[in-house]
Amino acid sequence: MKKKTAPRTSASHDLTYAPKNGYERATPADLKHCEEINKAYMEYIGKAKTEREANDEAILLLEAAGFRDMRDYEVSGTKLVPGDKVYRSSEGKTLMALVIGRQPFEAGMHIVGGHTDSPRIDLKQNPLYENGGLALLDTHYYGGIKKYQWVTIPLALHGVFVKPDGKKVSLSIGEDPSDPVFCITDLLPHLAADQYKKSLSEGIPGEGLDVVAGSVPTSEKDRKEKFKYNVLKLLNSKYGVKEEDFLSAELEIVPAGKPREVGFDRSMVLAYGHDDRVCAYAGLKALLDLKGVPEYTACVLLCDKEEIGSVGATGMASNLFENAASELLNLTSASYSELALKRGLQNSWMLSADVNALFDPMFPSVSDKKNSAMLNHGVCVTKYTGARGKSGSSDASAEFLAHIRRIFDRNGVVWQTGELGKVDQGGGGTIAQFMARYGMKVVDCGVGLFSMHAPMELAGKLDIYMAYKGYLAFMKDGRK
Ligand code: MN
Ligand code: MN
């Protein structure tokens, strides 16, 4: 009797799936390109600390690469043809950038949609007051922050005053090493007996996030509120504004300083606002690097208001995207029809490019390890988000996930899957659900983070690079 041959056990015949660290899978060319992409990303995120700045910095990069303002075409009625590169900004906060593809609008677009608003602390409309020999700025936080994390760290002030005549005064204080910064005080441990008894969410209350802004009284003799007045005088001499101008201002308090490399091996990036400028930038960079004419129109979105539910005129729950798509249809086809618009939206494919949570060895109990994104295991594809029984999730189809597998595997993209924490541990959402309304195929796909929504968030360089590589492969894909 002939001896049975042993079953083959080479990797290609292994039936099991075991995610691997990306450094074991990336090519030397990948690792080199990874450093270049991360360097460019760190430069961008160091300048783009607000949604307005993210929009403006992106437009600089787009214009340098030959992209033109789509609104000029809308005004002139000049049609767009395959290969044309355009961008469309809304209120200087939400940006759409496009490379027109060979296929007509009705065939759908390939969309990579990220957001550029990040959790932060906004100034109230009437913020300036004084108490205890200090000038202070009253605040109202934006997005889901753990308030205790924002005290005693150097903070910068970014934003705009808009005068009744429309004149805009932009300011950024705290980023240049010669600038002053701002801060929020915390209680000394010696007197924190009562504070220690409170929960983390109550230890620093929302009204306890007022920002220290000055401590010198004005020399004007008869002036009341001398500390507050001295700040007003400084603001007036430098920016030409008075207290009333705070009423029509958007001033944001963000962590001061530049992103930094982390670790002896410099393999990670610590920065404010990874969520979600990391995916937004990776998408933008992929579009900038898209060579030739794509089969399907490639579209990158840098959205505002995601962190407060995508509401508002610049959020994806509004009709903003649909309106922009209407303009695009009008500029790319001989005739406009509602049916063509709906077909184009429904036939689109989208990567909802937002961050996810990484498995954190400091907090293992909140994650199901085999269904959690791991640092530097590549860009993370998330079939569903939501809370409890997937509530609020758009839950991508298996068919669409198969397409993404094909695209990523064919193009050497290191990727993984990951769910946001254990079932019933909490949850979250992205812009995916708002885009899925059109019947388009959408799946969440982005970079995993440690310390999401903290003043400084931590991401892996290889994950950042693989997001870029994945988005580029997706935009190039011809659905074949
Ligand atoms: Mn996000
Ligand atoms: Mn977020």
Side-chain angles (χ1 to χ4, degrees):
M1 228 171 109
K2 203 180 166 198
K3 191 180 151 200
K4 268 190 182 168
T5 44
R8 293 174 66 173
T9 54
S10 71
S12 60
H13 287 77
D14 189 349
L15 299 177
T16 62
Y17 166 70
K20 262 195 202 152
N21 188 290
Y23 283 99
E24 293 166 29
R25 293 192 280 167
T27 64
D30 275 332
L31 296 180
K32 184 166 173 278
H33 201 186
C34 174
E35 285 303 310
E36 292 163 15
I37 295 295
N38 274 280
K39 190 163 176 272
Y41 169 56
M42 287 173 74
E43 242 168 68
Y44 175 80
I45 200 179
K47 291 181 205 157
K49 307 274 290 258
T50 68
E51 71 286 13
R52 286 177 189 271
E53 292 169 359
N55 174 88
D56 295 350
E57 290 297 326
I59 289 176
L60 289 177
L61 295 171
L62 288 163
E63 289 194 335
F67 284 73
R68 294 179 53 196
D69 193 340
M70 190 170 126
R71 288 176 199 270
D72 293 342
Y73 292 81
E74 290 166 25
V75 171
S76 67
T78 312
K79 295 287 180 185
L80 290 166
V81 296
D84 277 353
K85 301 170 171 185
V86 287
Y87 68 86
R88 192 177 198 274
S89 173
S90 298
E91 300 192 33
K93 293 180 171 192
T94 283
L95 185 68
M96 175 166 93
L98 303 146
V99 177
I100 308 302
R102 283 197 187 84
Q103 296 282 338
F105 180 89
E106 291 92 314
M109 296 182 271
H110 281 204
I111 305 164
V112 174
H115 68 90
T116 52
D117 63 317
S118 296
R120 59 177 192 257
I121 300 176
D122 287 341
L123 296 197
K124 285 187 182 178
Q125 270 199 286
N126 185 17
L128 188 60
Y129 72 100
E130 67 171 55
N131 196 358
L134 287 174
L136 291 146
L137 294 164
D138 209 342
T139 65
H140 195 140
Y141 64 95
Y142 172 99
I145 65 168
K146 291 166 96 174
K147 294 178 277 270
Y148 70 87
Q149 294 175 332
W150 292 72
V151 296
T152 76
I153 60 171
L155 299 167
L157 179 65
H158 291 240
V160 293
F161 289 98
V162 186
K163 306 260 200 147
D165 64 2
K167 191 169 160 268
K168 202 175 280 184
V169 183
S170 298
L171 57 84
S172 163
I173 308 168
E175 301 298 347
D176 190 278
S178 66
D179 279 357
V181 293
F182 301 88
C183 77
I184 299 166
T185 58
D186 193 6
L187 199 53
L188 61 168
H190 318 63
L191 299 179
D194 291 339
Q195 188 191 38
Y196 278 139
K197 290 179 198 147
K198 294 179 180 169
S199 67
L200 276 179
S201 67
E202 292 164 335
I204 300 288
E207 288 289 357
L209 291 175
D210 291 358
V211 174
V212 173
S215 64
V216 175
T218 180
S219 53
E220 290 181 32
K221 285 273 175 299
D222 303 327
R223 203 52 80 179
K224 284 179 187 161
E225 299 191 305
K226 288 177 191 281
F227 296 95
K228 170 179 162 177
Y229 202 78
N230 198 50
V231 167
L232 285 173
K233 279 174 75 175
L234 289 167
L235 282 171
N236 187 259
S237 69
K238 182 123 196 225
Y239 303 103
V241 295
K242 51 187 184 174
E243 189 174 18
E244 203 178 356
D245 292 322
F246 278 108
L247 300 179
S248 52
E250 281 179 352
L251 297 164
E252 307 179 7
I253 296 286
V254 298
K258 299 286 181 202
R260 301 293 297 265
E261 293 177 308
V262 169
F264 292 114
D265 54 14
R266 298 172 179 266
S267 61
M268 294 160 276
V269 179
L270 184 71
Y272 166 65
H274 278 316
D275 181 5
D276 177 42
R277 289 165 203 148
V278 65
C279 301
Y281 178 80
L284 176 72
K285 179 70 175 151
L287 189 74
L288 291 167
D289 290 352
L290 187 63
K291 300 258 163 29
V293 184
E295 190 65 21
Y296 294 87
T297 294
C299 171
V300 169
L301 298 172
L302 276 62
C303 305
D304 184 32
K305 297 284 185 282
E306 194 278 340
E307 293 296 354
I308 56 169
S310 295
V311 291
T314 50
M316 284 300 109
S318 78
N319 284 341
L320 177 66
F321 176 73
E322 189 180 326
N323 294 348
S326 305
E327 298 285 359
L328 180 65
L329 168 61
N330 192 43
L331 289 174
T332 51
S333 62
S335 64
Y336 178 90
S337 86
E338 185 83 13
L339 184 61
L341 174 69
K342 289 189 173 183
R343 282 180 178 159
L345 292 171
Q346 173 152 328
N347 289 331
S348 288
W349 287 9
M350 177 172 180
L351 295 180
S352 167
D354 207 345
V355 297
N356 205 325
L358 288 172
F359 172 79
D360 187 337
M362 293 298 103
F363 303 95
S365 67
V366 302
S367 304
D368 165 19
K369 202 171 178 183
K370 70 184 181 309
N371 280 292
S372 180
M374 304 290 288
L375 178 73
N376 284 330
H377 278 52
V379 64
C380 176
V381 177
T382 301
K383 187 176 185 295
Y384 47 83
T385 57
R388 303 177 305 280
K390 304 190 182 180
S391 177
S393 164
S394 57
D395 202 359
S397 71
E399 286 84 351
F400 188 48
L401 280 167
H403 282 299
I404 301 304
R405 274 178 73 188
R406 168 181 61 75
I407 296 170
F408 285 3
D409 289 345
R410 192 185 280 175
N411 289 281
V413 177
V414 175
W415 67 286
Q416 59 182 326
T417 59
E419 179 169 335
L420 185 68
K422 274 185 181 164
V423 181
D424 286 343
Q425 188 67 46
T430 66
I431 63 170
Q433 56 181 308
F434 304 108
M435 307 303 281
R437 279 180 316 185
Y438 300 111
M440 68 173 70
K441 295 175 169 54
V442 190
V443 68
D444 282 293
C445 175
V447 175
L449 296 184
F450 290 120
S451 317
M452 193 193 296
H453 286 202
M456 297 298 271
E457 302 170 313
L458 187 60
K461 280 186 180 176
L462 197 84
D463 294 336
I464 296 170
Y465 169 68
M466 286 300 167
Y468 157 83
K469 193 172 178 181
Y471 299 155
L472 182 56
F474 174 72
M475 288 192 279
K476 276 184 185 167
D477 185 68
R479 301 191 184 178
K480 283 178 194 123

